[in-house]
Amino acid sequence: AVLVLLGPPGAGKGTQARRLEERFGLVQLSTGDLLRAAVAAGSPAGLAARAVMEAGQLVSDDIVIAILRDRMAAPDTRNGVILDGFPRTDAQAAALDALLAETGQQVTAAISLEVDDAAMVARVAGRFTCAACGEGYHDDFKPPAVAGRCDRCGGAAFTRRADDTAETVAARLEAYHAQTAPLIAHYRRRGVLETIDAMQPIDVVAESLGRIVVPGT
Ligand code: AP5
Ligand code: ZN
């Protein structure tokens, strides 16, 4: 299966992709995570992407498509992938189709996580991540059960993203509406679009997603 998760910053794409990964053995491919790794490694792509990401704008299609193509070549993607944050432009959607066609695949479902913009700013601004295992948390909506300890791995170090400031989130929302939201109509025309009310609690959204991946569950 090739699942595409669409939705603005803070919609829960990363949170839900990780759930699907654990539950169904699919592999999460987050272009945001891949780009942040490139920035941290100081690779040429990372050097080019850094300022663009910190401004909340989209990194160039060339860079993102190359990164995604490399990652899709790894053998662990064979049982199915959840694309988290890709495609984000028409050109990326076309590149994805071409890449999948090489192995006789196509997008199984594109799932739009629908939320309201105002709530997104609050979600993103309170967000932090376990430095050891990557589990995502939120100051108000999903604090660790024991303060300062990761529920999943017991780690005690957490990180916050450089682009999770109120100004940058506003720019990211704008980029979403201008460049990415049109993909919803694109996948609807193809008959593969599903929509989920992602204002609901994390567990409820996860159940709705599970029913899309395995109908009847
Ligand atoms: P990326 O890393 O993809 O960020 P994003 O799209 O802005 O999405 P987020 O990671 O902010 O949100 P999410 O939907 O994953 O929400 P999460 O699950 O964390 O991209 C970053 C940058 O990289 C871009 O701005 C761009 O520059 C570049 N980039 C990446 N891909 C690109 C591409 N394809 N082309 C060009 N440039 C690209 O949840 C958020 C918070 O809310 C968490 O704290 C979580 O615990 C909480 N939460 C989640 N669900 C719920 C819920 N249902 N109820 C309450 N709280 C919830
Ligand atoms: Zn952890």
Side-chain angles (χ1 to χ4, degrees), residues 4-164:
V4 169
L5 291 186
L6 293 168
K13 301 181 296 294
T15 302
Q16 297 297 335
R18 292 175 71 90
R19 294 276 191 114
L20 289 168
E21 191 169 58
E22 278 167 9
R23 187 160 163 210
F24 297 107
L26 302 164
V27 170
Q28 173 193 15
L29 297 190
S30 158
T31 43
D33 286 349
L34 293 169
L35 286 165
R36 281 184 287 278
V39 169
S43 71
L47 291 174
R50 182 178 193 144
V52 180
M53 292 174 76
E54 281 179 7
Q57 285 154 7
L58 293 186
V59 173
S60 76
D61 288 334
D62 291 357
I63 290 178
V64 176
I65 290 166
I67 282 184
L68 197 270
R69 172 177 279 277
D70 279 359
R71 184 63 185 85
M72 289 280 282
D76 67 335
T77 62
R78 276 183 211 141
N79 289 332
V81 292
I82 309 146
L83 298 173
D84 160 9
F86 183 95
R88 263 174 148 98
T89 63
D90 289 339
Q92 291 178 21
L96 175 62
D97 287 342
L99 181 62
L100 293 174
E102 288 171 14
T103 50
Q105 301 183 83
Q106 51 192 5
V107 172
T108 316
I111 302 155
S112 172
L113 300 179
E114 308 211 314
V115 291
D116 68 66
D117 284 5
M120 292 312 97
V121 179
R123 274 195 199 175
V124 172
R127 171 167 63 176
F128 57 99
T129 304
C130 172
C133 77
E135 182 72 6
Y137 292 98
H138 192 279
D139 293 327
D140 303 319
F141 308 132
K142 191 192 163 191
V146 178
R149 287 274 159 209
C150 175
D151 296 345
R152 195 155 171 256
C153 76
F158 297 91
T159 58
R160 291 188 190 249
R161 269 167 52 177
D163 63 344
D164 280 350

